[in-house]
mmCIF file of all heavy atoms in Angstrom:
data_model
loop_
_atom_site.group_PDB
_atom_site.id
_atom_site.type_symbol
_atom_site.label_atom_id
_atom_site.label_comp_id
_atom_site.label_asym_id
_atom_site.label_seq_id
_atom_site.Cartn_x
_atom_site.Cartn_y
_atom_site.Cartn_z
ATOM 1 N N PHE G 426 -2.710 7.687 10.446
ATOM 2 C CA PHE G 426 -2.972 8.817 11.325
ATOM 3 C C PHE G 426 -3.486 9.987 10.498
ATOM 4 O O PHE G 426 -2.852 10.385 9.528
ATOM 5 C CB PHE G 426 -1.733 9.185 12.127
ATOM 6 C CG PHE G 426 -1.304 8.085 13.047
ATOM 7 C CD1 PHE G 426 -0.517 7.031 12.591
ATOM 8 C CD2 PHE G 426 -1.721 8.098 14.371
ATOM 9 C CE1 PHE G 426 -0.159 5.991 13.450
ATOM 10 C CE2 PHE G 426 -1.340 7.051 15.241
ATOM 11 C CZ PHE G 426 -0.557 6.001 14.763
ATOM 12 N N ARG G 427 -4.602 10.528 10.904
ATOM 13 C CA ARG G 427 -5.276 11.618 10.151
ATOM 14 C C ARG G 427 -4.388 12.832 9.946
ATOM 15 O O ARG G 427 -4.309 13.328 8.799
ATOM 16 C CB ARG G 427 -6.508 12.075 10.966
ATOM 17 C CG ARG G 427 -7.252 13.285 10.415
ATOM 18 C CD ARG G 427 -8.172 13.871 11.511
ATOM 19 N NE ARG G 427 -7.394 14.463 12.603
ATOM 20 C CZ ARG G 427 -7.876 14.669 13.809
ATOM 21 N NH1 ARG G 427 -9.111 14.421 14.094
ATOM 22 N NH2 ARG G 427 -7.116 15.239 14.734
ATOM 23 N N ASP G 428 -3.714 13.326 11.010
ATOM 24 C CA ASP G 428 -2.978 14.592 10.866
ATOM 25 C C ASP G 428 -1.771 14.490 9.990
ATOM 26 O O ASP G 428 -1.547 15.324 9.126
ATOM 27 C CB ASP G 428 -2.599 15.121 12.282
ATOM 28 C CG ASP G 428 -3.838 15.554 13.084
ATOM 29 O OD1 ASP G 428 -4.909 15.680 12.467
ATOM 30 O OD2 ASP G 428 -3.701 15.738 14.322
ATOM 31 N N SER G 429 -0.987 13.470 10.218
ATOM 32 C CA SER G 429 0.287 13.340 9.462
ATOM 33 C C SER G 429 0.137 12.480 8.204
ATOM 34 O O SER G 429 0.993 12.494 7.343
ATOM 35 C CB SER G 429 1.326 12.671 10.334
ATOM 36 O OG SER G 429 0.898 11.389 10.695
ATOM 37 N N MET G 430 -1.006 11.763 8.127
ATOM 38 C CA MET G 430 -1.260 10.770 7.052
ATOM 39 C C MET G 430 -0.231 9.642 7.043
ATOM 40 O O MET G 430 -0.127 8.879 6.069
ATOM 41 C CB MET G 430 -1.334 11.449 5.668
ATOM 42 C CG MET G 430 -2.496 12.416 5.570
ATOM 43 S SD MET G 430 -2.678 13.053 3.904
ATOM 44 C CE MET G 430 -1.285 14.087 3.805
ATOM 45 N N GLU G 431 0.530 9.565 8.119
ATOM 46 C CA GLU G 431 1.528 8.509 8.245
ATOM 47 C C GLU G 431 0.819 7.168 8.514
ATOM 48 O O GLU G 431 -0.213 7.129 9.107
ATOM 49 C CB GLU G 431 2.419 8.892 9.487
ATOM 50 C CG GLU G 431 3.620 8.074 9.642
ATOM 51 C CD GLU G 431 4.220 8.304 11.080
ATOM 52 O OE1 GLU G 431 3.905 9.326 11.676
ATOM 53 O OE2 GLU G 431 4.951 7.419 11.523
ATOM 54 N N GLN G 432 1.481 6.075 8.025
ATOM 55 C CA GLN G 432 0.874 4.766 8.244
ATOM 56 C C GLN G 432 1.904 3.886 8.916
ATOM 57 O O GLN G 432 3.035 3.821 8.513
ATOM 58 C CB GLN G 432 0.476 4.133 6.918
ATOM 59 C CG GLN G 432 -0.634 4.931 6.204
ATOM 60 C CD GLN G 432 -1.023 4.376 4.866
ATOM 61 O OE1 GLN G 432 -0.727 3.193 4.581
ATOM 62 N NE2 GLN G 432 -1.614 5.176 4.057
ATOM 63 N N VAL G 433 1.460 3.162 9.963
ATOM 64 C CA VAL G 433 2.367 2.249 10.634
ATOM 65 C C VAL G 433 1.747 0.838 10.622
ATOM 66 O O VAL G 433 0.522 0.722 10.653
ATOM 67 C CB VAL G 433 2.671 2.659 12.082
ATOM 68 C CG1 VAL G 433 3.443 3.964 12.155
ATOM 69 C CG2 VAL G 433 1.424 2.700 12.926
ATOM 70 N N ARG G 434 2.603 -0.140 10.524
ATOM 71 C CA ARG G 434 2.100 -1.538 10.510
ATOM 72 C C ARG G 434 2.225 -2.111 11.893
ATOM 73 O O ARG G 434 3.283 -2.047 12.537
ATOM 74 C CB ARG G 434 2.986 -2.354 9.494
ATOM 75 C CG ARG G 434 2.340 -3.611 9.161
ATOM 76 C CD ARG G 434 2.457 -4.003 7.686
ATOM 77 N NE ARG G 434 1.327 -4.905 7.462
ATOM 78 C CZ ARG G 434 0.416 -4.764 6.560
ATOM 79 N NH1 ARG G 434 0.457 -3.772 5.658
ATOM 80 N NH2 ARG G 434 -0.551 -5.610 6.439
ATOM 81 N N VAL G 435 1.124 -2.660 12.415
ATOM 82 C CA VAL G 435 1.169 -3.240 13.767
ATOM 83 C C VAL G 435 0.445 -4.579 13.781
ATOM 84 O O VAL G 435 -0.430 -4.826 12.918
ATOM 85 C CB VAL G 435 0.478 -2.284 14.827
ATOM 86 C CG1 VAL G 435 1.187 -0.956 14.916
ATOM 87 C CG2 VAL G 435 -0.987 -2.146 14.546
ATOM 88 N N LYS G 436 0.751 -5.403 14.778
ATOM 89 C CA LYS G 436 0.010 -6.610 15.004
ATOM 90 C C LYS G 436 -1.433 -6.291 15.417
ATOM 91 O O LYS G 436 -1.663 -5.289 16.084
ATOM 92 C CB LYS G 436 0.665 -7.416 16.131
ATOM 93 C CG LYS G 436 1.989 -8.065 15.753
ATOM 94 C CD LYS G 436 1.709 -9.529 15.465
ATOM 95 C CE LYS G 436 2.980 -10.228 15.030
ATOM 96 N NZ LYS G 436 2.723 -11.208 13.972
ATOM 97 N N MET G 437 -2.378 -7.119 15.076
ATOM 98 C CA MET G 437 -3.744 -6.842 15.432
ATOM 99 C C MET G 437 -3.925 -6.613 16.949
ATOM 100 O O MET G 437 -4.683 -5.743 17.355
ATOM 101 C CB MET G 437 -4.649 -7.968 14.981
ATOM 102 C CG MET G 437 -5.025 -7.835 13.505
ATOM 103 S SD MET G 437 -6.239 -9.029 13.165
ATOM 104 C CE MET G 437 -7.141 -8.394 11.825
ATOM 105 N N ALA G 438 -3.219 -7.365 17.718
ATOM 106 C CA ALA G 438 -3.358 -7.241 19.147
ATOM 107 C C ALA G 438 -2.815 -5.887 19.656
ATOM 108 O O ALA G 438 -3.122 -5.463 20.784
ATOM 109 C CB ALA G 438 -2.560 -8.370 19.870
ATOM 110 N N GLU G 439 -2.065 -5.205 18.806
ATOM 111 C CA GLU G 439 -1.456 -3.909 19.192
ATOM 112 C C GLU G 439 -2.346 -2.713 18.821
ATOM 113 O O GLU G 439 -2.009 -1.604 19.134
ATOM 114 C CB GLU G 439 -0.078 -3.762 18.581
ATOM 115 C CG GLU G 439 1.007 -4.561 19.256
ATOM 116 C CD GLU G 439 1.066 -4.256 20.752
ATOM 117 O OE1 GLU G 439 1.206 -3.073 21.081
ATOM 118 O OE2 GLU G 439 1.019 -5.251 21.528
#
Side-chain angles (χ1 to χ4, degrees):
F426 295 84
R427 174 197 67 200
D428 290 347
S429 62
M430 294 186 291
E431 190 195 339
Q432 296 177 20
V433 294
R434 194 140 204 126
V435 299
K436 287 260 178 217
M437 276 189 155
E439 284 305 307

